[in-house]
Structures are given as structure tokens and as C-alpha cells.
Amino acid sequence: MESEGYKVVFEKDSVFLHTSAKRHQDQDSLIPGVIRIVEKGSDTVLQWTPVEEAGDAPQIVFSKKDLSGSTTEEVLFDPGYEPDWAVISTVGTRPRVQDEPPVPVAPPPSPRGQWAFSISLSELKSIRKSRPGLGWSYLIFITKDGVSLQALHFHRGGTKALLRALCKYLILATSPKDSRLYLVYTHDSYALSHSFDELQLFDDNSSNLVSRFLQDPYTAAFGGFSKVTNFFRGALHHEDGTAQRALGDPSAGLEDEPGFEVITCENSWWRGAVPANGLPWQMGVRLQVQLGERPVVQREPPVTELEWEQHLDPEGRVTNVDRLRRRIFAGVSGAQAGEGLSTGLRKDVWKYLLGYYSWDNTSEENRAHVRRKTDEYFRMKLQWKSVSEEQEQRNSLLRGYRSLIERDVSRTDRNNKFYEGSENPGLVLLNDVLMTYCMYNFDLGYVQGMSDLLSPVLYVTQNEVDAFWCFSGFMDLVHQNFEESQESMKRQLAQLTQLLRLLDPLLCDFLDSKESGTLCFCFRWLLIWFKREFAFTDVLQLWEVLWTGLPCPCFHLLVACGILDSEREALMNSGFGFNEILKHINELTMKMNVNDILCRAEALYRQLAATPELLRPVQELLGLGAGASPSHSASSDPASSPQPLSPGQAPELELADSIPPSQPDSSIEILPTEDPSPCQSPSP
């Protein structure tokens, strides 16, 4: 885009400025705008300008010839469900840049115009980036005068593309004292020589250096040298010319994938990683791993009731548990949906998989355990049932939980016959179990998304008490997903990104080029274990496979990789941009075949397990011990995969068979309908 000595070399919309000013009729605390890099003769400037409320194109130096012309917009995408708790909900409109050449005009006066800024790149001293996480990324530009400009929030991504575009004109070096701060240098000899002083390869305190060197000479020495690698990466990459592309190139502004990647705080999961062969990796460098051929995986026939009975001894104990769990993992036929465990068998097996029953207990011991757990459940249920309206008015936490649960229950799986209708007893049970869980786990309480996890469990058990304790076992596995800090979700997304980069670096490069490399669209997948991605009956099969803990504790991450692998061609060969990728991923809901995805996920695991040079963190993530044979699944070693949660083994007094009269809300059990297999996939 050129006009009379001006050339726009980079442009990104949906860049918001969050002000702290009070709101009034013509000023908001959230101002959308566009950021550009503009070449003005011998100078290059960074400019941000707000977008006017009337919908005109962004204006700093340029404006359309015909301001009355309408802007082409993408169609809004409606995911078809309530997205309160989902990170990826809707895809909004994004104005498209017009092809006609603009002409320079003066920007019209606007209340928002006071926030616009334009700064020469030669005046930049440093750039501060946001902490890695799930929120909007932002950048703060700091001038040589020490002035910090207002933070710019990139609501649709673009920070990496902007920084890479800046590298054409500047050298960005990570500060040795702050990993989130980039020091800015121009491409000249003085700046290069001065940079070595700014890098501070070793601390000024020489005694501290000597101390660290004596304790760990390798880390102390190469830790300093790695800063040189970080510094020269930007300079050398600029000199080779790979970043200078024609503006018409769809990947303009993005660098070619280099042969190495500097490990930053965003990849802390890999910090200190060592390959399986024990040789140290080069400091700050990630080498490419050569993977073998991906094997073909076939699912086995499902576990039958006869096969299950053959694993029970005369007293009802389950024998050969490891083999049985492997059969449950592999026992999904590819012929048609619903061929996992049968409905009657699933009702019993899930109690073992979720730790409600102990594999070592006899049938009588399990029945006594149920009586104890039934009494414990109703004691907790009575705690919230006995709270009067007057008491609840003084308990904002309980009141908030009740309101949130009632709202979520009213919209959870209502297309399923088990929950349809306004007077359905299944809805009452769903509500009561979730309220009682708030009494059971005060620290966590209720978070949106938990109703999605309970719904299939209640559907299968069809018993209030059984559903509660199975749900509690499930929550023991995934409760960290719902914690306020979101550290577990951040870690899983980082692990998923690194696994996908090992398996398919080209797909990762493509997603990076479209500002989708964070895989934020996978957030819902991991949060509720694909509950809304597959048909209801398919979710039952998928979950019982994941509950086995085989072949590795993180198999759900490989399931996510399997989904992306199945959509690889559709994503890379269709010219999708940021919006189209999100829309395509959301539209996969209820359209995927669970058996195909499970086969892909297991094949990916076997491919990685057969690779001898995996980083140790990857080996640990995949449950591969130091001496594990790649040809054998990690499931062959009980210690290499998480064992099912088991109730406490301490002896307890056996309670009476009946529930005391003071607890009238006895466990409600829903009798089977005339149709013995009511598993119907909800309509999308």
C-alpha cells in the first residue's frame, strides 16, 4: 500500500487500547484500533489509530476515496450453544482491507483521536510483552525518553507477526533481567557493540559468578553464551533476507521457520530437557526429532458381559486387572456407534474405573462400601437442604452456586431423552448431585462445565448416590481444569503444542502463520474432555477409554492431536485465515467418528514411543520409563500409568442396610424404560 512517499508494510486490526477514563457518551474504556508500520521516506514509524464507531476504516494517514462505501465483513458465526465458560465462543466480524489505493487525508476530529500515537522506530528503547497465558496478549512500547505508551491488546492475535515485522528494521534482544522485556537496537555497528554491554553476559558481582561457576560450571558458562545466541538470532535472520517478502505474499510479515527455536518462559515445560540418550541439548536450541513410520491401528471387539464375568472370582473380585483394562481401552469396534461396553455392563465397570469400587474387593465388600457411601452422601446433602431461605440470604457463596447450577442444569443435554422436558426427574438429580458436590469440595465448589461431566455419568448409573461418587472420582482426575488460576489448562495447552510440533511441525508452522499457534481453540476440548465435540454415545466410549489411563496419562492430548491430524488437509489446503480456522474447528462438533480419532491417537502414541530420541519431559508425559521398550505399551507396567482411584482401605464400621427415617430423600433410582438401550445421540 503506497501513496506519495508513504508505504504501509504491516497492518493489524482488532488491536484494542484499554483506557482507565470514565465512560460517557463518546468515550469508551475499550477502544478498537489498527496498528501499522509505515515507511515515510528514510524514516519508519509505528502508528496506532482508533476505529471510529461509525464503522469507517482506520485512519492515521490513509483513508478510502469513497468514505460512503460499505466495508465487506465476514459473517458472524454462531456456535449454537451457551458459551459463558468457553474460551472460544463466537467469531466476530473483521473488516477487510480494500484493494483500491488510498489517498492521504487529515484525520477528522474525534474524541477517540486523543489516544492515537505515531512514533519513529529509532525512538524505541524497549518493548514489554504480556505474561504467557490464556488472556489477550498485549505489548507496551517504551521510548528512549522513558515514556511508556498505553498498552495495546491484540484481541485476535498478532503480537508475533508485529514483532517479526519489526525485526526487519530493528534488533530485538531479550533482556537478561526480564524475559518479558525486549531491548531494541538499530542495525548499525555502534548499537551492535553497545549491545554486548547491555546483554550483561555475567553479573557485575564477580564473587557471585565464581560461586555459581564452582557449583555448576556447565550452566554458568553456557547460560551466558546462550544470551549471545538469543541476541544474534534476530540479527542473523534479518541479514539472510528471508524476512523480506513481497507485500502480496499471504504469509507476509512472518519469518521462515528457523532450524532452531529459542526456549523462553512460554516453553518452561521443556526447560532443562535432556534427550533419552543422555547427551545434553545445545543450550537454548530445540533440535528436530526424526519420527518413524506411523503404524496402522485396529480397534478390538468390545468387552462382552461373558468376558467380564470370566474376570470375576467366586467371591466377586476382579482378576487380571491390567489385562482387563487393556481390553477396555482397545474394546471399541469400528462398525457403528454404541459398540463400546453394553449399557448394563457399563453401569458396573464405570464404578471401578472411577474408583467408587475397589478392584480387590469382593461383591459383599463393595455392597458394604455402598451403604457407607450412601450414608455419607445424604449427610452432605442434608447440609444444603436444611439451609433456610433466611440463612441463604446471608450466604452469598451458596446462593451463587445454586443460581449457577440451576442455570446450567436447565441447558445441559436437553436434547437427550433422559433430560428432556421441564418436569424430568433427571434434572432434579443433576441439580442435587452438583449442589452436594459443593458441600463435598468447599474449595472448588461449582464451576461452569461440571454439569457436562456429570450428565453422562448420571445417565449411565441412573442412581443419585452412584452418580455422585463416580462424578467425584472423575473430578479427582480433572479438578485442576476448573481452578481459578488456570495453571493446569495453560500447562496442558503448552504440552499439546509441543506434542503437535513433534508430530507435525508443518501444521504448527501453518497455524503460527495464521495466529492460531497457541491452539486456544482446543481449550474446550481439554476442559471437559471433548464432551461437546462428539455425539453423546461416542462420549461414553471415549471417556471409558481415557479412564483406563492407557497407554499414557496424557492420552487425551493425543486425542486432540488426532483430531487436528484428521483435519490437517482441510486446514492447510483451503486458504483458511484466523476466523475461518476457528469456524471450521467449531463446526466439527458432532461430526467426528470417535473410533477413527481413537485409532489415530493410538497410532500417534506408538509412533512417538518408537522414537528413541524424545526429550525426557515428553517421555514422562507419555509414560515411557527409561527402560521401557517402544514396542510395548506403557500400560504393561502398572506404575507407568495412573492407577484408578480407590476408596480408603482403613476398616470402617458397617452401617445398617436401611437409610434412617430422618433422611427422607432416599437415593432415587430410575428404572429402565421399555427400550433397554435408550442411548440416543442428541441432535446437533
Side-chain angles (χ1 to χ4, degrees), residues 18-88:
H18 296 202
T19 74
S20 57
K22 295 182 179 179
R23 293 188 177 186
H24 51 77
Q25 60 182 7
D26 60 356
Q27 185 174 7
D28 297 330
S29 61
L30 196 67
I31 301 180
V34 174
I35 192 165
R36 291 188 178 101
I37 299 176
V38 181
E39 292 182 352
K40 294 183 177 181
S42 60
D43 193 17
T44 304
V45 298
L46 181 71
Q47 298 178 326
W48 179 88
T49 187
V51 176
E52 296 304 313
E53 295 182 3
D56 295 337
Q59 297 176 347
I60 300 179
V61 179
F62 301 98
S63 177
K64 297 177 183 177
K65 287 183 178 180
D66 182 11
L67 296 179
S68 62
S70 60
T71 302
T72 303
E73 294 184 345
E74 298 179 3
V75 179
L76 278 171
F77 171 62
D78 180 10
Y81 58 87
E82 184 67 32
D84 290 6
W85 50 269
V87 167
I88 300 304

Side-chain angles (χ1 to χ4, degrees), residues 86-342:
V87 167
I88 300 304
S89 55
T90 60
V91 179
T93 60
R94 175 184 292 183
R96 292 179 177 171
V97 180
Q98 301 298 309
D99 295 330
E100 59 267 17
V103 294
V105 300
S110 167
R112 293 183 174 183
Q114 62 177 313
W115 299 103
F117 67 80
S118 176
I119 181 174
S120 172
L121 296 187
S122 61
E123 294 300 316
L124 284 178
K125 178 182 180 181
S126 58
I127 303 173
R128 178 172 294 279
K129 66 177 181 177
S130 57
R131 293 183 183 276
L134 300 177
W136 290 317
S137 298
Y138 66 80
L139 294 176
I140 299 176
F141 296 93
I142 305 170
T143 69
K144 292 181 178 179
D145 297 330
V147 177
S148 296
L149 302 179
Q150 202 79 8
L152 298 180
H153 296 251
F154 293 70
H155 286 201
R156 291 199 180 115
T159 56
K160 290 183 179 179
L162 174 60
L163 293 174
R164 289 171 179 171
L166 288 174
C167 287
K168 178 180 179 181
Y169 309 93
L170 304 169
I171 296 176
L172 301 181
T174 303
S175 170
K177 297 182 179 180
D178 187 348
S179 61
R180 295 194 297 122
L181 185 68
Y182 292 110
L183 304 179
V184 178
Y185 305 101
T186 57
H187 292 288
D188 58 63
S189 58
Y190 169 76
L192 188 60
S193 62
H194 182 65
S195 298
F196 285 99
D197 296 330
E198 292 292 335
L199 280 174
Q200 297 178 356
L201 298 182
F202 301 106
D203 299 334
D204 295 334
N205 188 341
S206 59
S207 61
N208 181 48
L209 169 63
V210 174
S211 175
R212 288 189 294 109
F213 187 84
L214 291 177
Q215 293 177 6
D216 191 351
Y218 182 88
T219 302
F222 284 91
F225 297 151
S226 68
K227 297 175 183 177
V228 179
T229 302
N230 294 353
F231 174 79
F232 276 107
R233 182 190 178 202
L236 294 177
H237 189 75
H238 170 73
E239 293 300 327
D240 65 16
T242 56
Q244 302 181 21
R245 292 174 173 167
L247 200 59
D249 192 325
S251 58
L254 297 173
E255 299 176 332
D256 290 329
E257 178 68 9
F260 59 90
E261 175 178 295
V262 177
I263 300 175
T264 67
C265 59
E266 297 180 3
N267 296 324
S268 59
W269 178 63
W270 291 73
R271 192 173 292 132
V274 178
N277 58 19
L279 298 176
W281 293 95
Q282 184 177 348
M283 184 67 70
V285 174
R286 187 202 72 216
L287 302 179
Q288 297 293 335
V289 177
Q290 295 296 326
L291 300 179
E293 184 177 354
R294 186 180 303 176
V296 177
V297 173
Q298 298 289 337
R299 306 297 291 175
E300 299 178 8
V303 176
T304 63
E305 294 189 11
L306 177 61
E307 183 178 357
W308 171 260
E309 292 175 357
Q310 292 174 348
H311 282 80
L312 301 178
D313 68 9
E315 294 183 327
R317 295 185 184 88
V318 181
T319 61
N320 204 347
V321 175
D322 290 341
R323 182 179 183 280
L324 181 60
R325 287 169 57 192
R326 287 196 294 271
R327 282 286 295 117
I328 294 173
F329 168 81
V332 180
S333 175
Q336 57 184 347
E339 289 192 345
L341 297 173
S342 65

Side-chain angles (χ1 to χ4, degrees), residues 117 136 223 281 330 352 378 447 499 517 554 608 639:
F117 67 80
W136 290 317
W281 293 95
Y352 287 95
F378 282 109
V447 182
L499 284 177
C554 72
L608 289 173

Side-chain angles (χ1 to χ4, degrees), residues 517-592:
T518 59
L519 304 183
C520 56
F521 47 77
C522 300
F523 182 88
R524 190 181 70 199
W525 298 359
L526 307 182
L527 180 71
I528 53 174
W529 277 24
F530 311 95
K531 166 62 167 55
R532 296 194 177 187
E533 317 313 317
F534 293 96
F536 193 86
T537 51
D538 287 347
V539 170
L540 306 183
Q541 299 180 50
L542 175 62
W543 282 3
E544 61 200 16
V545 167
L546 296 178
W547 289 335
T548 64
L550 304 178
C552 62
C554 72
F555 191 64
H556 65 293
L557 299 181
L558 291 172
V559 171
C561 290
I563 295 176
L564 295 174
D565 179 73
S566 68
E567 298 300 317
R568 184 182 193 274
E569 300 301 322
L571 291 172
M572 298 184 65
N573 297 334
S574 55
F576 282 167
F578 179 82
N579 273 9
E580 291 83 4
I581 289 175
L582 296 185
K583 185 174 184 290
H584 179 80
I585 293 297
N586 277 279
E587 288 179 341
L588 295 177
T589 300
M590 304 296 170
K591 297 179 181 178
M592 296 180 289

